[in-house]
């Protein structure tokens, strides 16, 4: 199968739902996203196990309530992921099937548009994993499949095995990629996606908020809700990237986040995944699709982020 066309080149990340956004705030973000033309939403059964009662499923639960309240399931391309939430944190056949059923229940839907394996399980062969996902597609409960957090070698094996054995081939991959995390995507994952015609939906696109321009020095991170996520980038090299990002943004009259996402689109990403805790954060993300960086701007950002390439 092939994925539906993106109205705007942005996937709304659902990791904030049930975490930094309660249900009311999440509904407001979701409403604003679809009103702006957004159609792709990404979540996972794991979100937000680090918040609430620690059992996970928070984001899917919020989304399910939103679908029920708005009666708009058919107008959204919904992606969710399994493989990181106990007891289904493995790729045994029954775990995958049961994880899907649990997600469907929380999401109040009878199908998933794009079902990701969130984490590989090297105790289960690629052949077995591919057969299980093919079964789910044939059941009608999953329309397309995708992969995240696989080694390049295991990911390539999946594409090759599924292609050779007439099984469902993944239509997308979800690797980590941003200005301060470049090497893996550019050298390993993008070539695989291009070879097999898979879309690339990248996570940590704004480096957990580090690339929004809010953090210009280490002290700026203190006490923030994402401090633990973004602090790993708080180095001289990281802040040099932010400074260049801000410089380009100021020259173009846009937000640094817009430039950071537009740079990804210029580098061959199908659509970055980015989340918003409030509707006010959305316009700078959506604007990336309209911002065409010049060759000189891309080169300047490439040079500033070269230590991460």
């Amino acid at each position: 199968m092939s994925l539906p066309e993106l109205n705007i080149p942005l996937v709304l990340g659902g990791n904030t739902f049930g975490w930094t956004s309660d249900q009311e705030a999440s509904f407001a973000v979701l409403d604003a996203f679809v009103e702006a033309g957004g159609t792709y939403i990404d979540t996972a059964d794991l979100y937000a196990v680090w918040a609430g009662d620690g059992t996970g499923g928070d984001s899917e639960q919020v989304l399910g309530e939103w679908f029920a309240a708005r009666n708009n399931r058919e107008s959204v391309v919904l992606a969710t992921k399994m493989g990181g939430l106990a007891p289904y944190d493995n790729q045994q056949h029954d775990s995958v099937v049961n994880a899907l059923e649990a997600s469907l229940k929380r999401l109040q839907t009878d199908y998933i548009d794009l079902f990701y394996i969130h984490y590989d399980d090297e105790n289960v062969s690629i052949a077995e994993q591919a057969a299980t996902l093919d079964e789910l597609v044939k059941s009608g409960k999953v329309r397309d499949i995708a992969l995240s957090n696989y080694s390049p070698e295991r990911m390539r094996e999946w594409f090759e095995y599924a292609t050779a054995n007439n099984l469902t081939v993944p239509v997308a991959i979800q690797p980590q990629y941003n200005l301060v995390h470049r090497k893996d995507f550019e050298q390993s994952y993008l070539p695989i996606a291009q070879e097999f015609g898979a879309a690339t939906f990248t996570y940590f696109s704004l480096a957990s908020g580090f690339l929004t321009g809010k953090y210009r020095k280490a002290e700026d991170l203190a006490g923030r809700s994402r401090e633990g996520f973004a602090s790993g980038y708080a180095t001289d090299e990281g802040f040099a990237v932010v400074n260049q990002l801000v410089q380009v943004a100021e020259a173009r009259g846009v937000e640094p986040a817009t430039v950071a996402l537009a740079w990804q689109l210029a580098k061959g990403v199908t659509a970055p995944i980015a989340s918003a805790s409030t509707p006010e954060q959305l316009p700078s993300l959506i604007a990336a699709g309209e911002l065409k960086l010049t060759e000189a701007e891309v080169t300047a950002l490439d040079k500033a982020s070269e230590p991460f390439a």
Side-chain angles (χ1 to χ4, degrees):
M1 295 181 68
S2 59
L3 287 167
E5 184 177 349
L6 282 149
N7 289 355
I8 57 175
L10 177 73
V11 178
L12 181 64
N15 61 308
T16 62
F17 305 151
W19 175 32
T20 56
S21 309
D22 61 16
Q23 180 164 305
E24 182 179 357
S26 299
F27 277 28
V29 169
L30 287 159
D31 289 343
F33 180 67
V34 297
E35 185 176 341
T39 50
Y40 275 59
I41 299 172
D42 178 271
T43 187
D45 59 3
L46 187 65
Y47 304 158
V49 73
W50 51 85
D53 62 7
T55 59
D58 311 76
S59 175
E60 290 185 331
Q61 192 77 38
V62 169
L63 275 165
E65 294 295 332
W66 181 69
F67 289 135
R70 301 295 185 261
N71 192 29
N72 64 348
R73 174 68 187 91
E74 292 294 327
S75 63
V76 168
V77 180
L78 172 65
T80 195
K81 303 181 283 292
M82 70 74 56
L85 183 65
Y88 308 130
D89 50 348
N90 61 78
Q91 296 307 320
Q92 298 290 337
H93 173 274
D94 288 353
S95 287
V96 179
V97 172
N98 290 331
L100 172 62
E101 293 297 336
S103 288
L104 290 172
K105 183 176 181 179
R106 286 188 292 263
L107 288 161
Q108 300 189 45
T109 184
D110 57 5
Y111 71 97
I112 303 298
D113 294 290
L114 189 58
F115 191 59
Y116 283 90
I117 300 302
H118 205 165
Y119 298 98
D120 189 11
D121 178 356
E122 295 194 3
N123 294 314
V124 180
S125 70
I126 292 297
E128 293 175 85
Q129 293 188 42
T132 298
L133 270 291
D134 184 69
E135 174 188 316
L136 297 185
V137 173
K138 287 183 168 63
S139 75
K141 295 179 179 181
V142 169
R143 292 189 171 175
D144 282 302
I145 63 170
L147 305 176
S148 183
N149 298 308
Y150 277 64
S151 69
E153 295 76 20
R154 292 268 289 181
M155 183 176 285
R156 174 174 289 280
E157 183 183 350
W158 187 311
F159 277 100
E160 292 177 343
Y161 181 83
T163 301
N165 290 277
N166 198 32
L167 298 176
T168 303
V169 178
V171 297
I173 64 172
Q174 187 176 137
Q176 183 177 350
Y177 186 51
N178 56 58
L179 277 158
V180 289
H181 190 102
R182 292 177 52 187
K183 182 178 179 180
D184 293 342
F185 178 79
E186 292 176 4
Q187 296 188 16
S188 300
Y189 292 107
L190 182 59
I192 293 173
Q194 290 174 332
E195 180 178 348
F196 291 96
T200 51
F201 301 125
T202 49
Y203 72 88
F204 285 169
S205 300
L206 294 174
S208 297
F210 185 72
L211 297 174
T212 61
K214 292 185 296 186
Y215 311 121
R216 307 295 294 276
K217 55 186 184 301
E219 292 77 11
D220 294 339
L221 284 161
R224 299 296 186 105
S225 63
R226 288 175 173 264
E227 178 182 359
F229 292 85
S231 60
Y233 306 113
T235 63
D236 289 344
E237 292 84 0
F239 288 120
V241 172
V242 174
N243 289 337
Q244 182 62 61
L245 192 61
V246 170
Q247 184 176 325
V248 173
E250 289 178 345
R252 296 296 294 269
V254 298
E255 295 294 323
T258 305
V259 176
L261 299 182
W263 174 83
Q264 289 208 23
L265 296 173
K267 301 294 284 188
V269 170
T270 303
I273 302 167
S275 57
S277 295
T278 66
E280 291 74 23
Q281 295 171 345
L282 277 173
S284 64
L285 308 180
I286 293 169
E290 298 297 321
L291 179 65
K292 305 303 179 186
L293 296 177
T294 67
E295 185 176 340
E297 288 167 338
V298 173
T299 298
L301 290 165
D302 284 352
K303 184 176 181 180
S305 61
E306 193 171 1
F308 304 97

